[in-house]
Amino acid sequence: EAIASYDKAIASNPTVAKTFYNRGASKANSSDFEGAIEDYNEAIALNDEYREAYRNRGIAKINLLNRAKANPAEKLTLEQTQSACEDFNKAAQLGDKSVDNEDMLFLYCTKR
């Protein structure tokens, strides 16, 4: 129901980054990571300093990669996570401290 509500809000005013962000979060919670990434892209296009959108887009990218892995025990490579790491680093650069607190940079963006 939340996604349908955000669809209506976006249809009436497609210039509000927060609405795209919220719909992206709802899609991510429903495991629609591709749809979430698209909405985070829109939120960032409307506000290129939307640190939470960068962080959540990075998380959605990681979740998408993890879901696609054939072997769940296999770790993602730095090459696979590069785009997500760019998002995490941008979020951190914009002042999002939760990226470090959640260990996203350490888990996915450092040499292993």
Side-chain angles (χ1 to χ4, degrees):
E1 290 182 28
I3 294 171
S5 294
Y6 292 125
D7 288 343
K8 289 178 186 175
I10 289 168
S12 68
N13 186 357
T15 63
V16 180
K18 180 107 176 139
T19 308
F20 281 100
Y21 172 82
N22 288 339
R23 186 174 72 175
S26 295
K27 288 179 179 180
N29 287 336
S30 299
S31 297
D32 177 7
F33 303 120
E34 297 95 338
I37 291 167
E38 290 174 10
D39 282 342
Y40 296 137
N41 288 343
E42 289 295 326
I44 292 166
L46 292 167
N47 177 1
D48 65 352
E49 294 188 5
Y50 204 151
R51 63 184 180 215
E52 295 89 351
Y54 284 103
R55 177 195 63 225
N56 281 16
R57 184 173 70 177
I59 292 169
K61 289 174 180 178
I62 294 294
N63 286 331
L64 193 59
L65 287 166
N66 277 324
R67 185 172 68 192
K69 286 191 319 183
N71 179 359
E74 178 184 313
K75 291 187 182 232
L76 295 172
T77 67
L78 287 174
E79 291 78 21
Q80 291 171 310
T81 61
Q82 181 177 355
S83 178
C85 293
E86 290 170 3
D87 285 343
F88 295 144
N89 283 313
K90 181 68 173 182
Q93 175 189 355
L94 291 170
D96 188 336
K97 304 224 182 300
S98 69
V99 176
D100 284 328
N101 292 342
E102 294 173 4
D103 294 324
M104 300 309 286
L105 289 168
F106 176 76
L107 290 172
Y108 296 106
C109 305
T110 58
K111 293 183 180 179
R112 306 188 251 308

